[in-house]
Amino acid sequence: MNVDNLSKANCIYNEMKELQRQKGMLESGAGLGVTIQSTYQDNAFLEAIRPHAVAELDRRIEEKKAVLVSFGISFT
């Protein structure tokens, strides 16, 4: 890895860990609140949205992993 990328890689890694934490929270059934025009939506609405939110977090995590891999970092 280029030493110039070390700080950037650390920042991206920390962002990825935060996304993983948020994903875990969503998967456990907590942490999601949705408003439309300042009105909170009911639990049925949240459960309909949850899989899409988890999928988006997965996409963002994989995006960050790809950048890290491009820096020469591997994941086991």
Side-chain angles (χ1 to χ4, degrees):
M1 175 194 311
N2 180 332
V3 72
D4 294 332
N5 291 333
L6 186 59
S7 178
K8 186 173 181 179
N10 186 55
C11 181
I12 292 169
Y13 179 76
N14 288 336
E15 290 170 356
M16 185 183 75
K17 295 304 280 184
E18 174 61 18
L19 290 171
Q20 289 171 330
R21 185 190 69 77
Q22 291 173 4
K23 179 184 168 203
M25 192 181 320
L26 281 178
E27 289 175 326
S28 74
L32 183 62
V34 176
T35 64
I36 299 175
Q37 293 274 313
S38 301
T39 302
Y40 280 97
Q41 301 306 299
D42 62 18
N43 285 336
F45 189 90
L46 297 180
E47 291 310 313
I49 297 296
R50 190 175 310 280
H52 303 285
V54 169
E56 177 60 18
L57 289 173
D58 274 335
R59 186 193 68 75
R60 292 179 184 198
I61 291 165
E62 291 305 314
E63 191 176 72
K64 297 214 181 284
K65 277 186 182 178
V67 173
L68 293 172
V69 167
S70 76
F71 289 159
I73 296 169
S74 61
F75 295 88
T76 55

